[in-house]
């Protein structure tokens, strides 16, 4: 009788495990992980942990100059509370884009080093905007150059140079 009591639970457990319908499988290949930047307009702002993109949801991206104006306005209040800030400081400028090349013509000398978060904000925001304005262009393929009135051209830079990871 004791033997039957021990065997019944083991038998029931075995039937449940075998009869649950889950079949064993091997490793299933899913390809390479996604890389590069996603689509859609984003403004990039600085934080203690690096650049963070904020989607542009309430406005249509119509020009690169308009995107720089949005960037200069700074992060929305909710993102500001999360620690995002704007480090881009430009005087007068004109932005043009053609294919994978974006050029920012500055009226004043550029105050940043070119390898800082402020430059990264500008580069990543413009790369993303160019890919929205020209859907044949991938944001991670865009190169952004800064032309000062005097002195050397800065760049061209790609957004990936400023993103961690």
């Amino acid at each position: 009788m004791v033997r039957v009591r021990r065997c019944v639970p083991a038998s029931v457990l075995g039937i449940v495990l075998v009869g649950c319908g889950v079949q064993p499988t091997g490793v299933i290949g899913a390809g390479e992980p996604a890389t590069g930047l996603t689509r859609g307009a984003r403004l990039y702002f600085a934080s203690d942990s690096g650049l963070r993109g904020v989607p542009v949801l309430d406005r249509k991206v119509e020009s690169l100059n308009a995107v720089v104006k949005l960037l200069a306005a700074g992060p929305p209040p909710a993102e500001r509370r999360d620690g995002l800030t704007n480090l881009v400081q430009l005087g007068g400028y004109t932005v043009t884009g053609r294919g994978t090349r974006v050029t920012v013509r500055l009226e004043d000398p550029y105050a940043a080093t070119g390898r800082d978060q402020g430059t990264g904000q500008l580069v990543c925001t413009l790369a993303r905007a160019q890919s929205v304005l020209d859907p044949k262009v991938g944001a991670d393929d865009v190169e952004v150059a800064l032309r000062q009135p005097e002195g050397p051209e800065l760049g061209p830079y790609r957004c990936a140079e400023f993103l961690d990871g």
Side-chain angles (χ1 to χ4, degrees), residues 19-141:
C20 71
V22 176
Q23 301 296 317
T25 62
V27 175
I28 298 173
E32 294 295 316
T35 61
L37 301 175
T38 59
R39 300 298 286 175
R42 284 185 167 298
L43 302 175
Y44 283 82
F45 295 103
S47 74
D48 290 342
S49 60
L51 296 180
R52 284 190 18 212
V54 175
V56 177
L57 302 174
D58 59 344
R59 292 188 174 97
K60 183 177 181 192
V61 174
E62 296 188 9
S63 75
L64 296 174
N65 285 310
V67 169
V68 174
K69 284 183 183 178
L70 286 173
L71 181 65
E79 281 75 14
R80 219 174 283 138
R81 285 189 296 274
D82 279 348
L84 297 184
T85 189
N86 179 28
L87 300 176
V88 175
Q89 296 183 7
L90 300 175
Y93 59 86
T94 304
V95 186
T96 56
R98 185 172 186 175
T100 60
R101 183 78 172 177
V102 172
T103 303
V104 181
R105 285 181 177 75
L106 302 168
E107 293 177 9
D108 301 311
Y110 190 63
T113 65
R115 294 289 178 190
D116 54 279
Q117 278 194 20
T119 302
Q121 283 183 251
L122 190 60
V123 169
C124 292
T125 297
L126 287 171
R128 183 59 75 101
Q130 180 65 9
S131 75
V132 170
L133 293 169
D134 185 349
K136 295 176 288 196
V137 173
D140 48 356
D141 296 326

